Amino acid sequence: MSSLFGTDGVRGLANGLITAELSMKLAQAAAVVLGNTGPRTGLRPAAVIARDPRISGDYIAAAMAAGLASAGVDVFDSVIIPTPAAAYLAADLGADFGVMISASHNPAHDNGIKFLAFGGLKLTDDLENAIEEELTRPSPRPIGAGIGRIHRFADAEDRYVAHLLSSLQHRLDGLTVVLDCAHGAASACSPRVFEDAGARVIVIGADPDGLNINDGYGSTHMGTLQAAVIAHKADLGIAHDGDADRCMAVDNLGHVVDGDQIMAILATALDAAGKLRDRTIVATVMSNLGLKIALGQAGITVMETAVGDRYVLESMREGGYTLGGEQSGHVILADFATTGDGILTGLHLAAEVARSGRTLAELAAVMVRLPQVLINVKGVDKTIASTHPIIQDMVQQATNDLEGKGRVLLRPSGTEPVMRIMVEATEMEVAQRIASTIADAVLLHASADESAVMAAGVQP
């Protein structure tokens, strides 16, 4: 696994990790690894570049464009559009690859660089490693006509909006929708799409100033949207994150509808229409057990993957499945997108409300979420915590005690010395008791810091 690339590109503090110098070098390395992968025979390689509105995006985009052009790549600059728009436009244009500059739901001081392979697909680990290895080699220096040009992709948003609207089979006339754009990349196009689809739209969190992205708004701050839905007596609310690849919702009663519930609603609708391939969806091991129970009762299979939308996407491509996603709101509708698309997901969720004539609260009732407790135990040796016989015995005993009406998941974090303990049960008190007991055992038997054990009051 690459050391520079994380689970979703290169991400970190702008002008800390993500400097202009690194941005240019990454662009030049990507030009070598990802250039000439498309069908543009006899033409220079081409790349679509886009960003969210955070302030550091200006210098990073400029450095990336300069690096790509200096390496002989024609650049189509889409300016501020969502990540799924960059993926769609890279595929629609037939570009060799795409670049999205965003730190997603992170605060404004962070930024990130995400590459998209030919067709708008996420990079494999091998491609990420190849780009990082290329950083150690001299950059290509074409001259004269071999140098790339930088074009303003003037109709980028129009093409993406038209694509989204073309995916709908039912308009949103009569619906009132509150959109929370997180002061992010969806601020311009999401309201436009929902209005063009026929909805009455109330917009919040759509005044980006470069510094307020994800600040009190968006899919990680749902309270603002909940209040707005109630205040406006709306049919539903849709929340995006900074780069708009997520969709979380709020029903007409002001309750949060998460990614699992959205998948349950869309899965049953697609299945009823005969459009759910193999009557199967793909979700991660962190999805609520209620999703599996609800869809199992409807005859729909839930295939599980490791945590991360890239693993969901890989499984979906391998099996040719229609629908997949994560509890966090990364929902993939594979007939229309190569990645999670928060605007697309919100549109189709709203369309099902309009088509069915039922409220979102009624639709969401197809799935009953089991009480879920997640405890992060910090400062532990993840290898010991994952293999210690006493801890494993406790997990197995708790699983047996739940008798199929809950589950226990012990998972190491992929980025920090943390063990995540997730427990689901029919009663919150039971889930909390089991999770706390296992967390104490992890801290006792796998702590990398004896003082942490003492501070927690865990007795040997």
Side-chain angles (χ1 to χ4, degrees):
M1 171 63 75
S2 164
S3 59
L4 180 61
F5 285 83
T7 55
D8 202 17
V10 181
R11 188 180 299 182
L13 181 66
N15 261 344
L17 174 65
I18 311 296
T19 62
E21 294 83 358
L22 175 64
S23 302
M24 182 174 289
K25 287 180 178 295
L26 276 170
Q28 292 168 328
V32 174
V33 175
L34 302 177
N36 294 310
T37 56
R40 296 164 54 85
T41 306
L43 298 175
R44 274 191 299 265
V48 170
I49 188 169
R51 61 188 185 274
D52 72 23
R54 67 189 72 217
I55 191 170
S56 56
D58 288 342
Y59 84 77
I60 298 170
M64 294 291 296
L68 291 172
S70 74
V73 177
D74 282 341
V75 177
F76 290 83
D77 187 357
S78 306
V79 194
I80 297 173
I81 57 172
T83 291
Y88 167 74
L89 292 166
D92 190 50
L93 190 67
D96 296 88
F97 61 101
V99 182
M100 182 66 194
I101 299 162
S102 174
S104 188
H105 57 280
N106 284 31
H109 55 65
D110 288 339
N111 217 322
I113 298 169
K114 183 188 309 185
F115 293 103
L116 300 158
F118 176 70
L121 301 174
K122 290 202 171 188
L123 297 195
T124 62
D125 290 343
D126 288 344
L127 284 174
E128 288 182 345
N129 288 332
I131 292 172
E132 187 163 346
E133 289 173 9
E134 190 63 34
L135 290 172
T136 64
R137 303 187 179 104
S139 301
R141 301 290 184 185
I143 59 174
I147 296 172
R149 296 178 181 271
I150 301 175
H151 308 274
R152 171 75 168 87
F153 199 162
D155 64 341
E157 184 178 300
D158 291 341
R159 290 168 74 155
Y160 176 55
V161 167
H163 161 67
L164 292 173
L165 293 172
S166 71
S167 74
L168 283 181
Q169 294 188 331
H170 198 288
R171 286 180 55 81
L172 311 185
D173 300 285
L175 290 187
T176 297
V177 180
V178 181
L179 295 179
D180 181 349
C181 299
H183 296 306
S187 295
C189 58
S190 188
R192 176 181 169 189
V193 169
F194 277 84
E195 288 172 355
D196 288 353
R200 173 178 173 258
V201 178
I202 294 103
V203 185
I204 62 175
D207 297 300
D209 62 9
L211 297 171
N212 60 358
I213 189 168
N214 301 314
D215 186 8
Y217 288 85
S219 61
T220 53
H221 302 278
M222 295 294 290
T224 309
L225 180 59
Q226 289 176 280
V229 168
I230 295 299
H232 293 281
K233 298 180 180 179
D235 294 287
L236 71 156
I238 299 294
H240 305 305
D241 61 338
D243 69 336
D245 63 353
R246 293 190 192 190
C247 171
M248 294 282 278
V250 171
D251 69 22
N252 51 297
L253 302 178
H255 302 138
V256 172
V257 177
D258 67 14
D260 286 341
Q261 292 169 293
I262 292 171
M263 285 192 287
I265 294 167
L266 296 180
T268 52
L270 287 167
D271 188 50
K275 296 181 179 180
L276 188 67
R277 203 158 300 143
D278 292 341
R279 304 196 74 196
T280 298
I281 75 162
V282 181
T284 77
V285 293
M286 292 298 285
S287 277
N288 193 281
L289 183 60
L291 175 66
K292 197 168 187 177
I293 293 172
L295 293 186
Q297 292 172 345
I300 297 171
T301 299
V302 178
M303 178 177 291
E304 292 184 340
T305 73
V307 175
D309 64 330
R310 66 186 301 171
Y311 302 112
V312 174
L313 282 160
E314 287 173 7
S315 182
M316 290 179 70
R317 286 199 297 270
E318 288 172 3
Y321 300 121
T322 310
L323 177 66
E326 297 184 281
Q327 190 180 67
S328 61
H330 283 117
V331 177
I332 302 124
L333 290 158
D335 287 342
F336 309 107
T338 59
T339 186
D341 188 328
I343 303 176
L344 177 72
T345 301
L347 272 178
H348 283 252
L349 181 65
E352 181 57 17
V353 172
R355 184 205 65 80
S356 67
R358 302 171 68 192
T359 66
L360 182 54
E362 291 169 336
L363 291 175
V366 68
M367 171 188 157
V368 177
R369 284 186 292 191
L370 268 68
Q372 187 179 82
V373 173
L374 177 64
I375 297 179
N376 294 319
V377 184
K378 300 180 180 179
V380 298
D381 185 314
K382 294 183 287 186
T383 301
I384 295 175
S386 300
T387 59
H388 197 288
I390 292 178
I391 297 172
Q392 295 304 306
D393 287 347
M394 292 182 70
V395 170
Q396 186 58 56
Q397 184 59 54
T399 300
N400 294 341
D401 291 345
L402 289 170
E403 297 179 335
K405 297 178 182 177
R407 61 179 178 140
V408 180
L409 181 64
L410 186 68
R411 184 177 71 86
S413 166
T415 58
E416 54 186 333
V418 169
M419 286 298 293
R420 307 195 194 284
I421 301 157
M422 191 272 284
V423 180
E424 290 171 340
T426 55
E427 298 178 7
M428 178 61 76
E429 293 79 8
V430 174
Q432 289 174 330
R433 174 174 51 79
I434 293 172
S436 295
T437 301
I438 295 174
D440 286 346
V442 169
L443 192 58
L444 174 62
H445 296 291
S447 178
D449 181 2
E450 186 174 336
S451 64
V453 178
M454 301 298 293
V458 179
Q459 298 299 317

